[in-house]
């Protein structure tokens, strides 16, 4: 049998290969479902959720967390495909911090100075630091499982970015429960919670995603 015939036969038997973009999209969908199940089963939305929907400060929390999850997901995809440039996703990752810092600047101009510290400390810091990592655990597992189908050149960095995606998802659900809507509170506590998940993603990814 000729070599070309053998290769053709093996390719025919191998069956279709799912594109990595589709794999990552399925992983992201599963991650959202995993967080949603835990959130609605054990936590739930804040008591004044309907009224809160009328508040721009409340809705802005979801803008920031969604920007974090989406830009980190795009960066994960780029990093997991050898040969794709990293500069553009790196700049894109600045979107969520830039939005939050802009909102904080506006907040500081509107709030009296004596309210700055109480707004920053808030009333739910410990819940934030606990529930965001908890809600992010399932999403992190889903994203890492999807990444195993790729070929990340830097497993630790890919795992850390997976942690950012997961923390963006977890924080989006937690934001629906949190009654602290000030951008100062979000700036003070959400990044700490996200860093816990990101660190876990880095440590797991460094071992799990090696190839």
């Amino acid at each position: 049998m000729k070599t070309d015939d053998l290769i053709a036969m093996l390719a025919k038997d191998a069956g279709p290969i799912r594109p990595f973009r589709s794999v990552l999209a399925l992983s992201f969908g599963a991650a959202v479902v995993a967080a949603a199940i835990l959130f609605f089963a054990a936590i739930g939305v804040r008591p004044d959720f309907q009224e809160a929907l009328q508040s721009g400060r409340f809705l802005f929390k979801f803008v920031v967390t969604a920007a974090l999850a989406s830009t980190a997901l795009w960066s994960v995809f780029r990093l997991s495909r050898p040969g794709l440039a990293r500069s553009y996703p790196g700049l894109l990752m600045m979107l969520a911090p830039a939005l939050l810092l802009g909102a904080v600047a506006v907040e500081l101009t509107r709030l009296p100075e004596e309210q700055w510290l109480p707004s920053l400390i808030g009333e739910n810091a410990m819940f934030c630091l606990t529930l965001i990592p908890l809600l992010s655990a399932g999403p992190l597992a889903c994203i890492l499982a999807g990444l195993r189908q790729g070929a990340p050149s830097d497993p630790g960095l890919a795992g850390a970015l997976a942690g950012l995606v997961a923390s963006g998802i977890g924080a989006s659900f937690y934001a629906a429960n949190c009654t602290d809507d000030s951008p100062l509170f979000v700036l003070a506590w959400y990044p700490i919670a996200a860093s816990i998940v990101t660190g876990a993603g880095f440590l797991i990814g460094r071992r799990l995603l090696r190839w």
Side-chain angles (χ1 to χ4, degrees), residues 185-209:
F185 179 88
V186 177
L187 179 65
W189 302 106
Y190 279 49
I192 298 176
S195 68
I196 296 172
V197 185
T198 302
F202 172 79
L203 294 175
I204 297 172
R206 190 169 58 175
R207 297 180 62 87
L208 187 67
L209 302 178

Side-chain angles (χ1 to χ4, degrees), residues 53-173:
L53 289 174
Q54 309 303 315
S55 168
R57 295 164 85 218
F58 174 72
L59 295 176
F60 183 75
K61 293 190 296 184
F62 298 97
V63 174
V64 173
T65 57
L68 174 63
S70 58
T71 55
L73 182 67
W74 180 246
S75 295
V76 163
F77 173 74
R78 302 282 293 189
L79 186 65
S80 299
R81 307 306 292 165
L84 293 181
R86 301 185 192 178
S87 57
Y88 176 67
L91 292 174
L92 194 63
M93 287 294 299
M94 299 303 296
L95 176 61
L99 288 171
L100 183 53
L101 288 173
V104 167
V106 173
E107 181 90 335
L108 292 177
T109 63
R110 293 184 175 181
L111 278 182
E113 187 173 346
E114 60 270 17
Q115 294 184 24
W116 290 359
L117 185 59
S119 296
L120 184 145
I121 296 175
E123 299 178 351
N124 300 282
M126 291 308 300
F127 287 112
C128 177
L129 296 180
T130 302
L131 293 181
I132 289 180
L134 181 63
L135 289 166
S136 303
L140 178 59
C142 293
I143 300 299
L144 288 174
L147 280 176
R148 284 180 60 84
Q149 306 304 312
S153 56
D154 188 331
L157 179 57
L161 288 171
L164 281 177
V165 177
S167 62
I169 296 171
S172 294
F173 281 99

